[in-house]
Amino acid sequence: MSSEVTVTLGGESRVVPIGTIVRDVLKDVPSRDLVAARVDGKVVDLTRKLDHDASVEPILAESVEGLDVIRHSTAHLMAMAVQSLYPGTQVTIGPVIEDGFFYDFAPATPFTLEDLPKIEAKMRELSKADHKITRTEVPREEAVQKFSAMGEKYKVEIINEAEDPISIYSQGDWMDLCRGPHVPSTRYLKAFKLTSVAGAYWRGDEHNAMLSRIYGTAFASKEALEEHLKLVELARQRDHRKLGREMGLYIFDPISPGSPFYLPKGVIIFNALIDYMRRMYRRYGFDEVVTPLIFKNEMFNTSGHWENFRENMFLSPDPESETHTVDTSPEGWRSGYGVKPMNCPGHTYVYRAEKRSYRDLPLRFAEFSRLHRAERSGTLHGLMRVRAMSQDDAHIFCREDQIEDEVAMNLEMVRDVYGALGFEGVEFKLATMPDKHLGTEQQWQMAEAKLANAIKRNEIAFEINPKEGAFYGPKIEIYVSDALKRKWQVATIQLDYNMPEGFDLTYTNSSGAEERPVMIHRAILGSLERFIGVLIEHTGGVLPLWLAPEQVRVLSLSEKVEDYAKEVADILKREGFRAHADIRNEKLGFKVREAELAKVPYMIVVGEREAADRSVSLRLLRGEKSNAMPLTALLEKLKQEPVPA
RNA sequence: GCCGAUGUAGCUCAACGGUAGAGCACCUGAUUUGUAAUCAGGUGGUUGCGAGUUCGAUUCUCGCCAUCGGCUCCA
């Protein structure tokens, strides 16, 4: 064995003694920027010894990988601080997440917000102490012994399942089981902030113990941290719950938790989206239907909802029953009614309304009815997770050989709609066979392949979401993010072989035999509630003209032009625009301010000059533009504003 | 549902064991206004609901409801 290794760095090779540590071959990089290194493509500690020929690249603090290392090390620093402040607290896991990190602890009593400043102060102290961070690899038994002796039963559980080698990172008198890598010493960690506390189940399973989680974030510099905190604050300003109230779109009231009350202005957005989807439906060949809201539970038993979804359903006794009670037992479907949480089972009755031929297919039934789901109270979140919602829901009944085309067509719709509404960063996932599933593995593979092909036909990038399909079939999930970067699923396209079976749906094929259609569940906007929430946050409430609740506000300068202001508003209304005249006895600046806050896209100022020659002075939202024009020119301009589909 | 926090006027927030206060909004009056707040006066609260401790509770304790941040679940 040679006593030297060849190191390739920045395209140049050189020979160093075997066992040289990575940091020494990166001597030219300023130490405060250097947090880790990439050796043969793998991120490792700077103290890693080189034992074979390798390519080496520095990882700087500001890089994506560098930031991850810093955050991971900061999570460790926090754990060290916590265990020094609260002896007896067990550690579990502390990963890096988008924009920060968290660490889950098992403390004697859960942490509260008040603990955070104390922990932060301790972290700063430990950071200043400049504890060197060192990695050691130990045999599994030794690791188990060590952590057992410390009473760290969660760590022992992890060690027993971890892959070799088992590595331990130490800083000062504290250590943690960890894969690494980490920064060389705690003094590298100086720009951090603990942000929140939360309960979290061990391994994410609600049957397990509830741990106490602390969230935090860390950056390469204090400036970057400040910048991030500022952005978070700005995002808060765009929260749809805040904007919805300010703009008078919708409210919530404890009298019906999780169910929005749309105010007149909110309904305009709601209906504009539905109108838009109806135009799309005409183009793409969907037929709208309206089915009942309440069904005998018998139907939900057939569809599988009674077994799989009744905990999330609002149930009602049969009003004519003597007991007036709801039987929620597995056999309870034999009596009573349920409020539909989904449209699908109802649509099977529309399908069955006639004898169907292979020539009829595909049949595409769309419905905007309100759906109710008894979501657990802790999950409710503004418009993003509600108990009452409308979806741009549709169920496509088609032949096996039509699946791919149908899915591809719906994906095209997804792209049309999200493109028209200016959404970027839409993510696609293919959710595959879950452990608990109906049908054979072969059927699933075929179904998944059909979905994947349809996605590829649209040249859309997608990820696999393993085992997250519905029990009856795989699905394509489409996600967008809210202002605070939380991802929400909006659109979905799901294959279903189960429900046609359950409701015994058939069509007559070309040779006169009965065959089973396939059902595709799909929604493009998803729930209108969630979509509106996301839309408000994406736009900050500044909606395109066709969606703006109030499109034009005519601001009069004084009483003398009151009549002209009203006349202008009336003309605009007759032309089909949502226009109002603000003839209140207020100064122009005041009216402009209010129109700006209400996010009215067109502000029209009329004074005596305008009234004299029947012109208007236009101001666009955020003071973008301001100029005078004849009234007819304004109408022309308004009519040229884009309307999708 | 679980963990933590919060709940005061329509909204945003103050007070804190001793009979609740501001700004905005709303109403009235004055002002007749040129592109993000004209001035003055006034109305408005069983301090989320229900118990308990106390001479006295908005304040302390408990239960419930709702909301916020997460977990779980999901459009």
Side-chain angles (χ1 to χ4, degrees):
Chain A
M1 196 169 153
S2 164
S3 62
E4 292 178 326
V5 291
T6 306
V7 173
T8 312
L9 173 61
E12 286 176 32
S13 297
R14 70 188 144 111
V15 174
V16 297
I18 195 162
T20 301
I21 64 168
V22 173
R23 192 210 321 260
D24 288 341
V25 301
L26 293 170
K27 276 199 289 275
D28 297 339
V29 182
S31 70
R32 67 190 159 81
D33 294 334
L34 187 64
V35 293
R38 200 194 316 270
V39 172
D40 289 340
K42 213 175 148 229
V43 184
V44 300
D45 297 304
L46 293 172
T47 51
R48 181 64 67 95
K49 287 183 173 129
L50 293 165
D51 56 5
H52 58 273
D53 292 353
S55 70
V56 177
E57 292 167 63
I59 289 182
L60 303 180
E62 287 82 10
S63 68
V64 175
E65 294 96 333
L67 213 46
D68 278 357
V69 171
I70 287 173
R71 286 171 179 167
H72 194 180
S73 297
T74 308
H76 271 215
L77 184 68
M78 177 172 83
M80 183 181 183
V82 163
Q83 291 201 307
S84 105
L85 288 169
Y86 308 91
T89 297
Q90 291 186 65
V91 290
T92 68
I93 55 163
V96 171
I97 52 172
E98 199 178 343
D99 288 335
F101 61 87
F102 67 77
Y103 210 117
D104 284 349
F105 301 96
T109 52
F111 296 117
T112 71
L113 241 28
E114 281 154 27
D115 295 314
L116 299 189
K118 267 182 282 180
I119 299 169
E120 256 180 38
K122 189 73 182 174
M123 286 168 73
R124 272 190 289 275
E125 181 192 320
L126 294 170
S127 166
K128 281 207 193 88
D130 194 13
H131 293 294
K132 297 285 172 283
I133 300 175
T134 56
R135 172 197 172 96
T136 46
E137 288 183 13
V138 298
R140 190 178 300 267
E141 301 73 47
E142 192 186 322
V144 169
Q145 255 172 27
K146 237 180 204 168
F147 284 95
S148 296
M150 294 190 293
E152 297 283 4
K153 62 175 188 180
Y154 293 97
K155 281 291 173 191
V156 172
E157 205 176 315
I158 296 169
I159 294 166
N160 285 326
E161 290 167 26
E163 285 169 29
D164 282 319
I166 304 294
S167 55
I168 289 175
Y169 279 81
S170 307
Q171 50 200 54
D173 57 0
W174 186 83
M175 65 170 178
D176 193 7
L177 172 82
C178 188
R179 198 178 294 135
H182 284 285
V183 297
S185 114
T186 57
R187 106 188 125 78
Y188 282 69
L189 312 169
K190 48 200 185 306
F192 52 80
K193 181 164 178 60
L194 304 185
T195 50
S196 62
V197 292
Y201 300 106
W202 168 234
R203 302 195 163 198
D205 186 333
E206 62 179 318
H207 301 295
N208 289 340
M210 174 66 75
L211 304 171
S212 191
R213 173 175 298 181
I214 302 179
Y215 282 91
T217 189
F219 284 84
S221 66
K222 292 215 167 92
E223 294 72 33
L225 174 65
E226 286 304 318
E227 186 65 20
H228 173 256
L229 295 175
K230 215 182 287 172
L231 283 176
V232 169
E233 186 48 40
L234 278 176
R236 260 185 240 290
Q237 306 289 319
R238 291 215 316 266
D239 190 315
H240 76 281
R241 293 167 294 193
K242 177 178 149 72
L243 281 173
R245 192 174 42 238
E246 285 174 3
M247 293 171 70
L249 303 178
Y250 41 80
I251 56 158
F252 288 88
D253 192 283
I255 203 67
S256 184
S259 302
F261 290 64
Y262 286 100
L263 306 177
K265 285 182 173 181
V267 172
I268 289 170
I269 300 175
F270 188 91
N271 284 338
L273 288 170
I274 288 180
D275 290 345
Y276 170 48
M277 288 314 297
R278 285 196 169 119
R279 293 197 293 275
M280 295 293 277
Y281 284 168
R282 280 197 284 279
R283 184 196 293 179
Y284 281 92
F286 285 76
D287 297 309
E288 196 173 335
V289 298
V290 177
T291 63
L293 297 184
I294 297 170
F295 295 84
K296 286 185 178 173
N297 287 325
E298 188 187 324
M299 179 180 78
F300 297 118
N301 180 54
T302 307
S303 67
H305 285 88
W306 187 262
E307 192 190 337
N308 296 301
F309 213 75
R310 74 172 181 279
E311 283 177 9
N312 287 307
M313 284 175 62
F314 289 100
L315 299 171
S316 158
D318 181 339
E320 294 181 328
S321 82
E322 289 176 7
T323 56
H324 281 280
T325 54
V326 174
D327 179 359
T328 58
S329 73
E331 292 297 306
W333 59 269
R334 293 175 193 281
S335 70
Y337 288 78
V339 181
K340 67 177 170 188
M342 300 178 190
N343 286 310
C344 33
H347 287 184
T348 67
Y349 288 83
V350 177
Y351 181 90
R352 297 205 306 191
E354 288 174 39
K355 185 99 176 87
R356 304 294 182 180
S357 145
Y358 72 99
R359 297 174 202 274
D360 297 333
L361 305 183
L363 284 166
R364 309 186 186 100
F365 299 134
E367 179 159 0
F368 295 103
S369 290
R370 282 193 92 57
L371 305 174
H372 292 79
R373 298 182 188 176
E375 297 291 346
R376 294 158 95 176
S377 58
T379 68
L380 301 177
H381 182 96
L383 285 180
M384 300 301 197
R385 168 153 289 101
V386 291
R387 286 184 173 159
M389 67 176 125
S390 291
Q391 291 182 310
D392 63 324
D393 201 8
H395 295 93
I396 298 165
F397 297 85
C398 69
R399 305 190 306 258
E400 186 76 29
D401 64 290
Q402 294 171 320
I403 294 173
E404 204 175 303
D405 283 347
E406 287 301 308
V407 173
M409 179 195 85
N410 279 286
L411 283 168
E412 203 184 309
M413 264 176 103
V414 169
R415 291 212 307 191
D416 266 14
V417 170
Y418 285 81
L421 294 168
F423 278 94
E424 285 156 23
V426 181
E427 289 179 32
F428 292 78
K429 288 185 184 172
L430 175 58
T432 59
M433 187 177 78
D435 291 332
K436 191 185 156 197
H437 60 269
L438 296 166
T440 66
E441 255 179 71
Q442 205 186 356
Q443 279 176 325
W444 274 85
Q445 276 170 11
M446 267 175 56
E448 286 169 13
K450 279 178 179 162
L451 289 182
N453 282 342
I455 302 177
K456 285 173 193 154
R457 259 165 66 177
N458 276 279
E459 294 177 343
I460 291 168
F462 69 101
E463 286 172 35
I464 301 290
N465 201 3
K467 297 187 179 184
E468 288 296 321
F471 65 93
Y472 50 75
K475 56 182 177 180
I476 299 170
E477 303 167 333
I478 294 111
Y479 295 84
V480 300
S481 305
D482 70 10
L484 289 170
K485 295 188 187 173
R486 291 177 286 215
K487 284 189 178 54
W488 298 95
Q489 194 195 126
V490 278
T492 176
I493 301 173
Q494 309 179 9
L495 279 190
D496 183 0
Y497 292 94
N498 181 51
M499 218 173 282
E501 179 89 27
F503 286 96
D504 193 24
L505 305 183
T506 59
Y507 66 89
T508 310
N509 70 15
S510 59
S511 44
E514 295 300 294
E515 280 199 52
R516 192 75 76 205
V518 178
M519 228 171 138
I520 301 171
H521 307 239
R522 51 105 281 174
I524 306 292
L525 304 176
S527 94
L528 291 174
E529 281 64 27
R530 179 175 292 177
F531 191 84
I532 289 170
V534 170
L535 183 67
I536 297 291
E537 300 201 357
H538 263 268
T539 57
V542 182
L543 297 168
L545 191 78
W546 68 281
L547 281 171
E550 187 178 353
Q551 297 174 311
V552 189
R553 191 177 290 187
V554 184
L555 314 177
S556 61
L557 261 168
S558 74
E559 260 173 27
K560 296 186 196 100
V561 292
E562 197 180 305
D563 288 341
Y564 181 60
K566 283 200 268 194
E567 191 194 338
V568 170
D570 282 341
I571 290 169
L572 291 167
K573 280 186 220 169
R574 271 206 300 281
E575 292 288 334
F577 295 101
R578 297 183 285 270
H580 302 273
D582 183 356
I583 54 166
R584 290 176 302 172
N585 177 10
E586 297 289 352
K587 294 175 103 164
L588 182 62
F590 181 82
K591 293 185 182 183
V592 166
R593 179 183 152 80
E594 294 221 323
E596 286 278 348
L597 291 175
K599 307 208 163 44
V600 181
Y602 277 69
M603 281 162 256
I604 303 299
V605 178
V606 296
E608 290 183 77
R609 290 205 296 268
E610 288 80 4
D613 61 358
R614 298 190 63 74
S615 68
V616 294
S617 180
L618 172 63
R619 177 194 164 104
L620 295 178
L621 199 48
R622 289 174 175 161
E624 275 173 46
K625 225 186 269 181
S626 177
N627 49 10
M629 58 172 69
L631 186 48
T632 48
L634 170 69
L635 280 168
E636 251 344 277
K637 189 173 166 56
L638 281 167
K639 283 175 186 166
Q640 274 164 18
E641 286 274 355
V643 180

